[in-house]
């Protein structure tokens, strides 16, 4: 976007930074100057100070304060990830900078570690490089067809070609906090196609290093901008951690949307001694999943648009990028052979390893499987340390205490406090060929959706006397720091619906994952039972 020069202000006798913007014709130059002047009006201690905006020989220049120090990207490369306290302080500073910019209708649109300066001596955090900032409501694609921003840090709605808003910058802040804690973006992949798939449709799981900041990061990395954590609530959580070392409970699972729902106790429902009270998680206002096995139309079209833009800017083939995932499906994590006693599972679990949840394609079919006698009644008492939740989608199951609910518009997840273990549930119309065909299709797509896909198997079995299939696999995991993951996934056909329950966890925690998997299966009661 430009070249930055170290320069001397001869009038005031001070060192400054001068950014020469790389723009095309006079119209673009005038637009860049208008935007730079708007940015110059943002006054905040964590926004780089703009001294002047000038034009010489048709080239626009921005004269800024010179921040002595290194970028956050340089700091991470040299010294490794930040601790939770420093990450929270950095996030709070950047949130203040963004709030000041958003109050003037200015979006940054390229928040990443390279654009965060750490001033030497003072430790001041400075957000810089507003050179691609735009007024709220503009799109991701520039007039010249170039992609604006850094894909790994770009929000899903911008990837889809939608107009950006303040929530888009908050998503990028969430990605940056993950990078600060681990050293890299959670959406880092080896190819642009992989990055686009990761941002738009693949399972999102914050790194295990998120620790106490997990609720904050989960809220910021909500794909639906209407449900994404707002600036005020994010500031409340960050301020609380900086001052007390603890993050307070969220008023809602994800974002500021009042219909997103909260996990609330049902105190009026009696429960036996030693058992946790039943909870209702989510509300009827929560969004229903999209069509089975496909992107929602806006997502698919937006992804195509982003790929075409990337092809224009980088000279690569959009068709070759689409080869990474032409149908838009995301595989789901596999499940363990240690199902409930009513589940006949003759095949032992595959070697310890792990994989992320992805979305299996399930074709709609009017065919209905007869209900299994006593299916709902076969649920076992809740084990110690678990609680029963009744989800807004109608089913209920036992999950470990402390696990939090989240969704990705296609599936429901209950996630451990450290983010490492996920219990996933998906209910879709029955498919031709039943559970075994659905699992085999997902298994066939495993190498395309899960890097390092290996140690995989699909076996026919039953669940409470109903046709079922068990899928297990290992993959390389979300980050190098976490390492490989393994998935246990059971899918069965009941009352005309495919029920899919899985647990995904690091291979180092497979015993714990198996216990959670067994408890979920033993206690699962489908909707309407």
């Amino acid at each position: 976007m430009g070249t930055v020069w170290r320069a001397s202000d001869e009038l005031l006798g001070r060192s400054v930074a001068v950014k020469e913007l790389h723009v095309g014709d006079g119209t673009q130059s005038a637009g860049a100057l208008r935007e730079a002047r708007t940015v110059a009006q943002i006054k905040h201690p964590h926004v780089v100070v703009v001294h002047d905006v000038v034009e010489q020989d048709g080239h626009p220049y921005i004269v800024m304060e010179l921040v002595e120090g290194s970028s956050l990207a340089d700091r991470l490369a040299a010294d490794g990830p930040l601790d939770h306290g420093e990450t929270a302080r950095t996030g709070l500073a950047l949130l203040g900078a963004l709030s000041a910019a958003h109050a003037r209708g200015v979006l940054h649109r390229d928040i990443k570690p390279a654009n965060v300066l750490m001033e030497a001596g003072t430790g001041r955090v400075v957000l810089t490089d507003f050179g691609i900032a735009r007024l709220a409501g503009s799109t991701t694609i520039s007039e010249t067809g170039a992609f604006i921003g850094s894909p790994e840090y770009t929000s899903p709605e911008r990837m889809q070609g939608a107009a950006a808003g303040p929530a888009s910058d908050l998503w990028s802040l969430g990605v940056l906090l993950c990078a600060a804690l681990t050293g890299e973006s959670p959406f880092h992949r080896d190819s642009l196609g992989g990055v686009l798939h990761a941002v738009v449709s693949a399972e999102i799981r914050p790194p295990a290093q998120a620790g106490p900041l997990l609720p904050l990061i989960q809220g910021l990395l909500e794909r639906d901008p209407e449900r994404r954590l707002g600036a005020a609530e994010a500031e409340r959580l960050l301020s609380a951690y900086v001052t007390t070392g603890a993050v307070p409970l969220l008023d809602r699972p994800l974002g500021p949307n009042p219909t997103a729902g909260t996990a609330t106790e049902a105190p009026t429902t009696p429960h036996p001694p030693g058992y946790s009270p039943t909870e209702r998680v989510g509300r009827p206002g929560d969004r229903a999943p999209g069509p089975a096995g496909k992107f929602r139309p806006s997502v698919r079209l937006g992804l195509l648009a982003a790929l075409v833009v990337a092809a224009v800017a980088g000279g690569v083939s959009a068709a070759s990028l689409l080869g990474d995932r032409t149908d838009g499906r995301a595989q789901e994590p596999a499940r363990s052979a240690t199902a409930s006693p009513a589940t006949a599972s003759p095949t032992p679990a595959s070697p310890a390893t792990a994989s992320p949840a992805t979305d299996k394609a399930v074709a709609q079919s009017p065919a209905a499987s007869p209900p299994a006698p006593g299916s709902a009644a076969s649920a076992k008492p809740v084990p110690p340390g678990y609680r029963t939740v009744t989800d807004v989608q109608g089913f209920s199951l036992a999950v470990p205490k402390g696990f939090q609910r989240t969704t990705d518009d296609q599936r429901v997840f209950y996630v451990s406090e450290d983010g490492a273990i996920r219990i996933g549930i998906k209910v879709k119309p029955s498919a031709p060929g039943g559970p075994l065909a659905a699992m085999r299709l997902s298994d066939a797509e495993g190498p395309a959706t899960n890097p390092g896909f290996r140690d995989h198997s699909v076996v026919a079995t039953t669940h409470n006397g109903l046709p079922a299939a068990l899928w297990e696999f290992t993959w390389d995991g979300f980050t190098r720091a976490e390492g490989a993951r393994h998935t246990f996934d059971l899918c069965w056909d009941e009352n005309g619906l495919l029920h899919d329950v899985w647990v995904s966890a690091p291979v180092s925690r497979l015993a714990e994952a198996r216990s959670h998997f067994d408890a979920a299966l033993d206690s699962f009661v489908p909707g309407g039972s």
Side-chain angles (χ1 to χ4, degrees):
M1 301 300 297
T3 302
V4 180
W5 307 84
R6 185 187 185 105
S8 297
D9 185 331
E10 296 177 341
L11 178 63
L12 300 179
R14 62 184 176 184
S15 295
V16 295
V18 177
K19 182 172 183 177
E20 176 187 4
L21 296 179
H22 296 167
V23 297
D25 55 27
T27 302
Q28 293 175 330
S29 176
L33 287 171
R34 284 195 303 271
E35 291 165 5
R37 292 188 180 105
T38 300
V39 173
Q41 298 174 21
I42 303 172
K43 304 300 181 185
H44 193 274
H46 298 293
V47 174
V48 67
V49 176
V50 176
H51 297 309
D52 201 359
V53 180
V54 299
E55 184 175 9
Q56 180 175 331
D57 299 328
H59 294 284
Y61 295 84
I62 303 175
V63 183
M64 302 173 287
E65 68 169 314
L66 180 66
V67 179
E68 298 282 1
S70 60
S71 70
L72 176 58
D74 294 334
R75 165 77 180 275
L76 295 174
D79 302 327
L82 308 183
D83 60 26
H84 293 109
E86 192 166 8
T87 298
R89 288 189 293 273
T90 300
L92 191 59
L94 295 177
L95 187 59
L98 289 174
S99 296
H102 294 165
R104 290 191 171 271
V106 176
L107 308 178
H108 190 282
R109 302 204 304 171
D110 197 24
I111 299 166
K112 59 185 179 182
N115 287 339
V116 176
L117 302 181
M118 320 289 279
E119 189 172 49
T122 67
R124 181 170 70 113
V125 175
V126 183
L127 181 60
T128 186
D129 204 359
F130 278 85
I132 67 166
R134 295 290 188 274
L135 301 184
S138 57
T139 65
T140 301
I141 303 172
S142 72
E143 293 83 353
T144 60
F147 184 89
I148 298 173
S150 304
E152 289 181 28
Y153 293 86
T154 300
S155 67
E157 62 268 22
R158 285 188 56 214
M159 285 291 198
Q160 296 171 32
S168 298
D169 279 347
L170 295 178
W171 166 281
S172 301
L173 176 62
V175 182
L176 182 139
L177 294 178
C178 289
L181 291 165
T182 66
E184 68 177 10
S185 160
F187 303 108
H188 175 75
R189 300 293 187 273
D190 293 334
S191 67
L192 179 57
V195 172
L196 295 172
H197 173 71
V199 171
V200 172
S201 66
E203 177 190 0
I204 298 174
R205 191 184 62 73
Q209 295 91 327
L213 299 180
L214 176 63
L216 168 75
I217 291 175
Q218 283 183 319
L220 293 174
L221 295 186
E222 161 61 49
R223 279 200 174 99
D224 184 350
E226 295 297 323
R227 297 180 59 192
R228 195 168 299 153
L229 199 66
E233 196 161 13
E235 182 179 10
R236 179 177 71 90
L237 299 184
L238 283 168
S239 297
Y241 187 80
V242 169
T243 56
T244 69
V247 174
L249 293 176
L250 283 172
D251 294 334
R252 57 194 61 83
L254 292 173
N257 185 352
T259 65
T262 57
T264 56
E265 299 285 345
T268 59
T269 303
H271 54 281
Y275 288 79
S276 300
T278 299
E279 296 180 348
R280 179 165 184 83
V281 182
R283 293 178 181 169
D286 286 353
R287 295 180 16 156
K294 297 181 180 178
F295 287 122
R296 298 187 307 279
S298 62
V299 177
R300 183 165 177 79
L301 291 176
L303 180 58
L304 287 170
L307 289 170
V308 171
V309 170
V312 171
V316 297
S317 164
S320 66
L321 293 177
L322 286 172
D324 280 350
R325 197 123 193 79
T326 56
D327 59 6
R329 301 185 189 112
Q331 306 287 78
E332 303 241 9
R335 348 187 5 174
S336 156
T338 56
S340 67
T343 301
S345 182
T347 303
S350 62
T353 18
S355 170
T358 50
D359 184 39
K360 289 181 288 301
V362 181
Q364 186 170 358
S365 169
S369 302
S375 175
S378 64
K380 289 184 175 182
V382 178
Y386 289 75
R387 74 185 195 276
T388 298
V389 294
T390 299
D391 197 87
V392 67
Q393 294 191 15
F395 58 80
S396 66
L397 77 164
V399 301
K401 294 178 180 178
F403 276 46
Q404 296 184 3
R405 182 187 191 270
T406 184
T407 68
D408 66 356
D409 291 336
Q410 296 183 9
R411 299 155 295 181
V412 174
F413 299 98
Y414 289 90
V415 186
S416 62
E417 291 179 301
D418 62 3
I421 299 181
R422 308 198 121 208
I423 301 171
I425 307 97
K426 185 176 180 182
V427 181
K428 291 293 181 182
S430 296
L436 187 60
M439 286 297 197
R440 283 175 174 170
L441 176 60
S442 296
D443 186 70
E445 295 173 342
T449 56
N450 302 289
F453 182 77
R454 60 190 180 273
D455 299 334
H456 54 103
S457 64
V458 176
V459 296
T461 181
T462 61
H463 178 65
N464 292 332
L466 300 169
L470 174 68
W471 180 35
E472 290 192 56
F473 64 95
T474 296
W475 68 297
D476 288 344
F478 295 103
T479 65
R480 286 191 291 270
E482 180 190 60
R485 294 180 65 83
H486 192 72
T487 297
F488 305 114
D489 193 343
L490 189 72
C491 178
W492 71 95
D493 203 330
E494 185 167 3
N495 296 330
L497 296 173
L498 280 179
H499 295 78
D500 194 1
V501 178
W502 68 89
V503 172
S504 172
V507 296
S508 60
R509 299 176 66 176
L510 280 193
E512 183 181 355
R514 283 177 179 272
S515 297
H516 298 335
F517 184 63
D518 292 344
L521 287 179
D522 291 351
S523 62
F524 189 89
V525 177
S529 297

